[in-house]
Amino acid sequence: MRMALAITWNRWSTRAANGGWSLSQATMPRVAPGEVLIKVHAVGVNPPDWYLREGYKMLPPEWQPQVSFPLIPGTDVSGVIAAVADDVTHFRVGDDVYAMVRFPSGLAGDSRAYAEYVSAPASEVAVKPAGIDHAHAAAAPMSLLTAWQFLVELGHDVQNPLQPNQHQPVPLKDKTVVVNGAAGGVGHFALQIAKRQGARVIAVASGEHAQLLRDLGADQFIDYTKTAAEDIVRDVDLVVDAVGGPKAGRFLRTLKRGGALFPIFPLGFSGADEAAKLGVTVSSTQVRSSGQQLAQLAPLLDAGTIRAVIDSSYPLADARRAHERAAGGHIRGKIVLTVV
Ligand SMILES: NC(=O)c1ccc[n+]([C@@H]2O[C@H](COP(=O)([O-])OP(=O)(O)OC[C@H]3O[C@@H](n4cnc5c(N)ncnc54)[C@H](OP(=O)(O)O)[C@@H]3O)[C@@H](O)[C@H]2O)c1
């Protein structure tokens, strides 16, 4: 049986020397019809990686998927095609590609990206932007697709698990948009996409990120450690709250009637009545894998119109340290694991 290295996490051995983490040989992924095998060069780290590690305990019990341990975390990769199924005609061995693998379909542990090799449906894969390296390409998929699907194009008609109606992006040209959590993975892409779509952007983050966010195009910066954005901002068209959660409702008062609040993490939001009174739409969605959208976004990454910012990079074997870095918060862009 062919084997390849992968990071596994075993919650039952968290008291072991490496806290449950191990780099060990795992069975080489099989390539099913419609799939490709990717030799992974870099992996992007995302919040669902640690949600999975914790068995999604942040979700209400009725939503928690059945997670079996040990598991291989991760969804976002950049690498080189190592094999293609017979029915896949648009990729060849040797192509440089990037992907968000099986999300949300594999969120209970079937994406398995913290590894030397990962299999992926060809429909979720796109040719890597040639002008950026594998680390920057791996930094993009989940965060960039999230920002794109919220702000520009949903890209599918799968029922929204978070609300009865489908999420709908709103026009951004000549609008004023607040991006809260603007320095994080989703936030720094949301800021750049809103600018590209013609909006004026107010970025909210901690003060250390001011220069970066201005460099990425922010027209105004608010340091939330000194000033609460909701106390000074009024009459904006859209708030993208990339922090979200129970406190997202504080932004309702910053919006004009007819405006919209997009909590990227919508669980715990409780301002529906106030939103209705204020005439504000509150809408969210769950990001979905899309090779077609990654192909559409590749020229923007290639041209530097949208930049993936790397907070820090660790060898795959140090995935535990990468997760410790994430737990420390104040992430500036993306954390990446390098495989070769
Ligand atoms: N709906 C979906 O499909 C979807 C997809 C992807 C992610 N998400 C969710 O979206 C959230 C963000 O994900 P991410 O990958 O962007 O996380 P991230 O990279 O960890 O970014 C979070 C950012 O928020 C900032 N922040 C923390 N507290 C803040 C506050 N009180 N006010 C303003 N900024 C604050 C942090 O930086 P500073 O504090 O230093 O400014 C950090 O840069 C997560 O909850 C994730 O689960 C949802």
Side-chain angles (χ1 to χ4, degrees):
M1 189 185 295
R2 289 184 69 200
M3 307 289 277
L5 284 172
I7 284 285
T8 52
W9 160 258
N10 190 348
R11 77 189 309 183
W12 309 124
S13 57
T14 49
R15 288 199 191 88
N18 201 25
W21 293 96
S22 65
L23 179 68
S24 49
Q25 295 289 338
T27 313
M28 183 74 114
R30 284 190 323 111
V31 183
E35 291 188 346
V36 299
L37 181 69
I38 302 171
K39 180 165 187 352
V40 178
H41 285 233
V43 181
V45 173
N46 290 287
D49 305 356
W50 54 89
Y51 300 159
L52 173 62
R53 232 185 64 213
E54 293 164 357
Y56 280 94
K57 68 175 187 213
M58 27 63 77
L59 290 178
E62 65 277 17
W63 280 22
Q64 287 173 8
Q66 194 63 43
V67 177
S68 321
F69 298 88
L71 52 81
I72 301 173
T75 56
D76 286 8
V77 295
S78 181
V80 180
I81 300 258
V84 293
D86 291 344
D87 59 345
V88 172
T89 52
H90 57 292
F91 288 113
R92 276 194 266 173
V93 171
D95 286 348
D96 284 336
V97 292
Y98 73 139
M100 176 174 80
V101 180
R102 296 190 189 87
F103 198 87
S105 62
L107 63 68
D110 291 330
S111 304
R112 301 165 70 89
Y114 286 20
E116 277 187 316
Y117 288 89
V118 68
S119 68
S123 60
E124 298 179 354
V125 176
V127 171
K128 178 181 89 62
I132 59 173
D133 61 17
H134 284 294
H136 286 83
M142 178 175 283
S143 301
L144 181 55
L145 285 173
T146 302
W148 191 255
Q149 291 174 12
F150 268 84
L151 292 180
V152 181
E153 186 198 22
L154 188 61
H156 64 82
D157 56 8
V158 179
Q159 202 200 331
N160 190 334
L162 304 168
Q163 57 193 37
N165 55 310
Q166 280 294 24
H167 173 78
Q168 271 192 345
V170 294
L172 295 177
K173 184 151 177 47
D174 299 327
K175 305 291 183 185
T176 300
V177 176
V178 170
V179 179
N180 184 46
V186 175
H188 85 298
F189 286 127
L191 153 59
Q192 296 177 78
I193 289 170
K195 281 302 293 179
R196 179 183 174 272
Q197 300 301 107
R200 175 178 172 272
V201 177
I202 303 171
V204 183
S206 57
E208 67 200 274
H209 306 307
Q211 190 55 52
L212 169 72
L213 298 177
R214 288 200 187 277
D215 291 348
L216 294 178
D219 298 284
Q220 188 183 335
F221 176 81
I222 298 173
D223 176 355
Y224 74 85
T225 66
K226 296 206 171 108
T227 311
E230 64 274 22
D231 289 345
I232 57 167
V233 173
R234 288 292 177 271
D235 282 338
V236 301
D237 299 281
L238 171 66
V239 174
V240 180
D241 186 0
V243 179
K247 292 187 181 158
R250 68 201 156 104
F251 288 109
L252 289 170
R253 73 180 99 138
T254 69
L255 286 153
K256 58 174 65 153
R257 187 162 279 276
L261 168 63
F262 293 170
I264 306 291
F265 185 86
L267 298 181
F269 177 78
S270 59
D273 291 346
E274 188 187 350
K277 264 190 229 140
L278 293 170
V280 165
T281 301
V282 180
S283 181
S284 192
T285 186
Q286 184 176 39
V287 66
R288 297 193 76 83
S289 295
S290 171
Q292 181 259 321
Q293 288 183 329
L294 288 179
Q296 200 180 343
L297 288 159
L300 302 179
L301 290 165
D302 208 8
T305 312
I306 295 177
R307 273 170 55 201
V309 172
I310 294 189
D311 172 278
S312 48
S313 161
Y314 300 83
L316 179 67
D318 285 344
R320 178 188 181 176
R321 282 208 299 131
H323 277 225
E324 285 167 356
R325 161 71 196 101
H330 302 297
I331 298 171
R332 182 195 292 247
K334 298 288 303 181
I335 301 170
V336 170
L337 306 173
T338 51
V339 184
V340 282

